[in-house]
Amino acid sequence: MSGDKKVIVEIKNINKFYGSTNQVVKDLNLEIYEGEFLTLLGPSGCGKTTTLRMIAGFEEPTSGSILIEGQNIENKEPFERNINTVFQSYALFPHMTIYDNIAYGLKMKKAKKDVIRTRVMEMLELVQLGGFEKRYPSQLSGGQKQRVAIARALINQPRVLLLDEPLGALDLKLRKQMQLELKRLQRKLNITFIYVTHDQEEALSMSDRIAILYNGVLEQVAQPWEIYEKPATKFVATFIGETNLFEGYVSEIKDNEVTAVIESGIIQGEGDTFELNEMIAVSVRPERMKYSLSPVEGFHLEGVVKEQVYVGSILKTIVMIGNGNEIRIERLAGESLPAEGTVYLYWESKDAKLIHTADHVFYQAIENIQMGREEPV
Amino acid sequence: MKQKMKKNSYGVVGKIYCSLIYAFLFLPIVVIVVNSFNATTSKPYLSWKGFTFDWYLKLFENEELLQSFQNTMIIAVCTTIMATIVGTLAAVGMYKYKFRGKSTIDALLYIPVVIPEIVLGISLLTLFAKISIPRGMFSLILAHTTFSIPYVIFNIRARLSRYDNSIEEASMDLGANRLKTFFNITLPVLAPGIAGGALLAFTLSIDDVIVSYFTNGQTMTLPLKVMESIKSGVSPDVNALSVLILIGTALLVVLTQSGILKGKKNM
Ligand SMILES: Nc1ncnc2c1ncn2[C@@H]1O[C@H](COP(=O)(O)OP(=O)(O)OP(=O)(O)O)[C@@H](O)[C@H]1O
Ligand SMILES: [Mg+2]
């Protein structure tokens, strides 16, 4: 996917500190392609807005550079960048009509009156707000304001549109509808969208690629299915959807089938970049978890059913295994699962995703050395 | 049916209640207006002796009164300009920037508002004497500006509390530089607050008696002049003057109200 596409925004080694110690973005590298819908996803406070504001020019990186169409924009003021922003709070000008709000960008460019008129009418049509031009922002609903904000940001035909949780203030139903509309708009105009959200469902359904940020660190950039099926880090595995995570070390490798020793037994998964004795995490989604009432051949984990909950069409079962950890199993309701007693959990190797955690061990080792302890293992 | 009757009786009581309130509020004004046309010439100028415009004519022959009116206007205009500029900058600055001791400064702002005017008057008089500012027009303007500034700040601040900083960023994002953003966005959005503050400063200055009494020196303002002249009963030319001021204020209120209403629609 990456090879044949043109890079439009390039973020190189960006660090951002607030004050001298509070680092909110850590060595961020990210290439964004022309015409793609890229989502920055992460928990609250992980640095999404800060990253977006650095691209827009409202915030200066402490170090590193941002290139747009190959040009370093370090010294460009926000009003000199060919990028526009849709703010979470809409940020419509309250003293101007919808017409004047949308026309603002072109007026600043000193466009001719009749050009402005045609373009504004086009934009109103595009966001399906024909006939609203004489109203003031206070006379619109949330969803309508959001559309005005989008039209206003699009009128200068930016190459890149930044959207900071643009649907955050809308109710669920309107949000779903606006998600579809935004996606339709983006396809139609073929503009690069950099979209911020902390709603994983929104990210999974709208994006071409998702960049997952955690504590200012970029954890993984990949297509939605890949993020879900092949999480690169423990954080991604747990943040996107529900999962069961086991930690241990590699004890055997046969072709691409990896066997690992964990606290409560031996498990298997698939992967081809792993080494013997390496520390790893194994992620198994609840819907892929299998169970049996008697020990199965090959690996299995013994556990006791602790709880069962119906969530609409899904039956969730929680099983406690040897070391006290809780394992989740999900099945479509109707499929029966024992509500109590001992069960044996297993899965197919291909359904278990292995994750390197060597980094963490490495960091821990450094930390220990710094604290004067001996290097472990 | 019953419901309707109930409603009607409420309506009647309500109407009477309202009429009483309005009578209470407007009776004094009516008395002044009527008396300003009273042809009586003997003190205490209260019995009705027929209709006349004489008092209005007399008013325009009263040099001293006209002079004090002029002084009041000059002082009020200067006070308004100074208090509005200083107050606006202070309010915006205190909103935008964080600095050490900000909350203390915020709290101190209330002091000129809550201390008794008489204390303010005395302290200003002492201060002016200490630093040898001659009492007169200039000291009056300074004094009035002093007590007006906090009101201007409060007024603009009320507006700023609903102000969303991101509209300035949006403006810059769309290609306006800082100066254009200030004039296109910041100023118009704050305008009603600034206008309200200015109006408040103007009215505070026009009818101030106590602080002016301490700081005026030889300069007479209209309120001081009126105070002086009613020592011997309210003479109808003062009534006439009051009516003129009343008309002036009413016009001002109507003008600003329609302006504010027009502005409010889109806020
Ligand atoms: N102006 C600032 N001064 C100091 N710290 C700040 C400033 N702006 C943001 N931060 C801090 O930087 C971190 C990242 O903030 P940011 O707004 O980028 O988070 P976010 O990922 O957008 O979160 P959310 O999903 O809640 O919007 C937070 O810990 C925040 O407290
Ligand atoms: Mg944010």
Side-chain angles (χ1 to χ4, degrees):
Chain A
M1 139 127 193
S2 51
D4 52 337
K5 286 219 173 183
K6 211 177 128 204
V7 173
I8 185 159
V9 178
E10 194 177 353
I11 298 172
K12 278 181 164 174
N13 305 96
I14 289 283
N15 283 289
K16 174 70 184 174
F17 286 82
Y18 283 116
S20 53
T21 52
N22 184 12
Q23 185 169 14
V24 296
V25 175
K26 294 166 190 157
D27 199 30
L28 178 65
N29 282 287
L30 183 59
E31 289 184 342
I32 298 155
Y33 304 115
E34 198 159 35
E36 89 168 316
F37 194 125
L38 181 113
T39 299
L40 294 177
L41 177 65
S44 187
C46 69
K48 307 179 295 285
T49 298
T50 307
T51 304
L52 215 59
R53 290 172 60 81
M54 288 191 288
I55 301 175
F58 299 125
E59 216 70 73
E60 231 180 286
T62 312
S63 67
S65 52
I66 298 173
L67 278 67
I68 293 178
E69 297 182 296
Q71 245 195 333
N72 195 330
I73 53 166
E74 190 179 354
N75 295 320
K76 288 197 173 175
E77 296 271 9
F79 44 87
E80 295 166 333
R81 301 185 182 192
N82 192 8
I83 290 178
N84 289 111
T85 308
V86 176
F87 294 83
Q88 173 166 11
S89 57
Y90 315 129
L92 298 182
F93 308 133
H95 59 301
M96 293 184 188
T97 59
I98 300 313
Y99 182 93
D100 289 329
N101 261 281
I102 298 178
Y104 194 80
L106 279 182
K107 278 186 188 157
M108 290 306 115
K109 275 190 169 175
K110 303 211 160 59
K112 287 219 182 70
K113 266 221 164 72
D114 50 328
V115 175
I116 295 180
R117 175 127 219 116
T118 354
R119 289 283 297 142
V120 172
M121 289 305 159
E122 268 173 38
M123 294 317 298
L124 279 168
E125 210 53 51
L126 186 72
V127 296
Q128 300 168 356
L129 278 180
F132 282 72
E133 57 268 26
K134 290 211 177 67
R135 294 216 201 169
Y136 284 91
S138 60
Q139 299 166 314
L140 298 186
S141 73
Q144 290 165 340
K145 282 183 199 167
Q146 190 56 69
R147 280 182 238 186
V148 175
I150 291 164
R152 186 181 66 176
L154 283 174
I155 199 155
N156 278 355
Q157 297 173 308
R159 304 296 311 276
V160 179
L161 189 68
L162 309 177
L163 304 100
D164 191 356
E165 303 201 29
L167 310 181
L170 305 180
D171 64 52
L172 191 66
K173 197 171 163 220
L174 195 53
R175 202 152 82 204
K176 295 267 178 245
Q177 183 196 336
M178 287 294 293
Q179 284 174 6
L180 292 176
E181 282 186 35
L182 269 179
K183 189 70 195 156
R184 172 186 66 87
L185 255 176
Q186 192 260 342
R187 288 234 179 84
K188 187 168 165 187
L189 302 172
N190 201 28
I191 293 177
T192 307
F193 272 34
I194 305 180
Y195 190 96
V196 163
T197 182
H198 58 235
D199 178 344
Q200 49 159 303
E201 205 180 310
E202 192 167 292
L204 288 170
S205 66
M206 294 172 84
S207 326
D208 293 326
R209 284 193 307 155
I210 300 175
I212 301 205
L213 280 175
Y214 178 54
N215 271 338
V217 175
L218 182 62
E219 296 268 318
Q220 186 174 12
V221 195
Q223 296 175 45
W225 70 268
E226 217 178 335
I227 293 272
Y228 188 81
E229 299 288 346
K230 301 179 177 177
T233 67
K234 274 200 304 187
F235 173 76
V236 176
T238 46
F239 185 66
I240 301 290
E242 274 192 273
T243 198
N244 297 298
L245 212 60
F246 306 94
E247 290 186 65
Y249 66 91
V250 178
S251 63
E252 196 186 332
I253 303 177
K254 215 188 274 168
D255 297 330
N256 66 348
E257 194 168 86
V258 177
T259 306
V261 177
I262 62 169
E263 231 177 1
S264 16
I266 289 173
I267 57 172
Q268 281 179 345
E270 275 184 12
D272 43 19
T273 57
F274 296 86
E275 287 168 22
L276 220 53
N277 293 326
E278 180 186 346
M279 298 297 293
I280 58 167
V282 180
S283 155
V284 184
R285 299 283 177 195
E287 69 271 19
R288 301 280 163 82
M289 190 65 78
K290 295 192 168 165
Y291 68 91
S292 157
L293 294 178
S294 52
V296 294
E297 227 178 280
F299 75 93
H300 58 251
L301 300 171
E302 190 180 327
V304 180
V305 177
K306 208 181 145 200
E307 208 183 321
Q308 230 167 27
V309 197
Y310 278 98
V311 191
S313 57
I314 288 174
L315 170 64
K316 291 189 177 189
T317 306
I318 294 173
V319 175
M320 196 154 89
I321 55 170
N323 65 347
N325 281 359
E326 291 179 348
I327 305 298
R328 291 154 191 275
I329 309 175
E330 274 179 29
R331 286 289 181 279
L332 288 179
E335 203 180 322
S336 66
L337 217 92
E340 53 183 18
T342 304
V343 291
Y344 299 88
L345 303 174
Y346 64 102
W347 54 82
E348 295 187 21
S349 298
K350 68 170 176 53
D351 287 338
K353 165 67 191 164
L354 306 190
I355 298 163
H356 295 276
T357 56
D359 282 357
H360 298 262
V361 175
F362 178 61
Y363 287 131
Q364 205 182 351
I366 290 179
E367 225 172 46
N368 286 345
I369 290 167
Q370 281 170 344
M371 292 173 74
R373 283 194 228 122
E374 267 179 50
E375 195 171 349
V377 197
Chain B
M1 189 67 198
K2 219 175 174 181
Q3 193 84 20
K4 206 171 179 184
M5 258 174 67
K6 224 175 173 181
K7 228 181 196 165
N8 274 341
S9 63
Y10 273 136
V12 172
V13 173
K15 269 177 198 154
I16 293 172
Y17 182 70
C18 263
S19 316
L20 283 176
I21 287 186
Y22 273 79
F24 183 73
L25 287 176
F26 281 91
L27 214 56
I29 297 176
V30 172
V31 170
I32 281 192
V33 173
V34 170
N35 230 18
S36 73
F37 296 107
N38 192 352
T40 181
T41 50
S42 55
K43 288 182 184 175
Y45 309 109
L46 283 179
S47 50
W48 182 254
K49 290 281 161 57
F51 187 88
T52 180
F53 271 117
D54 282 358
W55 298 113
Y56 287 87
L57 296 176
K58 244 185 124 179
L59 187 67
F60 287 100
E61 286 158 13
N62 188 339
E63 289 282 334
E64 274 181 35
L65 204 64
L66 288 181
Q67 181 59 47
S68 68
F69 177 72
Q70 192 189 343
N71 289 344
T72 291
M73 280 301 146
I74 293 173
I75 293 166
V77 169
C78 291
T79 298
T80 305
I81 293 172
M82 279 168 55
T84 306
I85 293 175
V86 175
T88 305
L89 293 179
V92 172
M94 285 165 80
Y95 171 76
K96 283 212 168 161
Y97 302 103
K98 290 194 176 83
F99 48 86
R100 202 177 271 261
K102 184 172 175 170
S103 53
T104 316
I105 291 190
D106 270 8
L108 284 178
L109 214 52
Y110 286 91
I111 291 187
V113 177
V114 296
I115 59 168
E117 256 191 282
I118 198 156
V119 176
L120 188 66
I122 293 170
S123 45
L124 280 169
L125 176 62
T126 322
L127 177 72
F128 290 152
K130 259 250 152 39
I131 59 177
S132 341
I133 289 180
R135 258 75 70 214
M137 194 77 108
F138 183 61
S139 65
L140 277 167
I141 294 173
L142 282 185
H144 287 195
T145 306
T146 305
F147 65 67
S148 299
I149 285 176
Y151 290 96
V152 176
I153 295 181
F154 292 148
N155 227 295
I156 294 173
R157 228 195 238 179
R159 187 111 206 137
L160 277 171
S161 67
R162 288 183 296 138
Y163 186 76
D164 178 7
N165 234 336
S166 60
I167 60 175
E168 289 182 11
E169 288 182 348
S171 164
M172 290 209 271
D173 192 68
L174 292 163
N177 60 28
R178 289 195 172 73
L179 200 66
K180 275 188 190 157
T181 298
F182 183 76
F183 283 107
N184 288 338
I185 308 297
T186 317
L187 214 50
V189 171
L190 292 185
I194 297 173
L199 197 65
L200 210 58
F202 190 75
T203 40
L204 283 173
S205 169
I206 282 188
D207 74 353
D208 178 72
V209 176
I210 302 174
V211 173
S212 302
Y213 184 77
F214 285 95
T215 53
N216 70 330
Q218 298 301 312
T219 311
M220 283 314 267
T221 66
L222 191 63
L224 290 177
K225 191 81 205 158
V226 170
M227 287 281 287
E228 196 184 72
S229 65
I230 60 166
K231 277 177 192 152
S232 49
V234 182
S235 92
D237 59 346
V238 171
N239 283 341
L241 182 69
S242 304
V243 172
L244 289 184
I245 293 176
L246 197 70
I247 293 170
T249 349
L251 279 179
L252 204 62
V253 167
V254 168
L255 280 178
T256 50
Q257 277 296 330
S258 64
I260 286 170
L261 283 184
K262 232 164 115 195
K264 217 170 223 158
K265 207 173 60 190
N266 50 50
M267 283 303 151

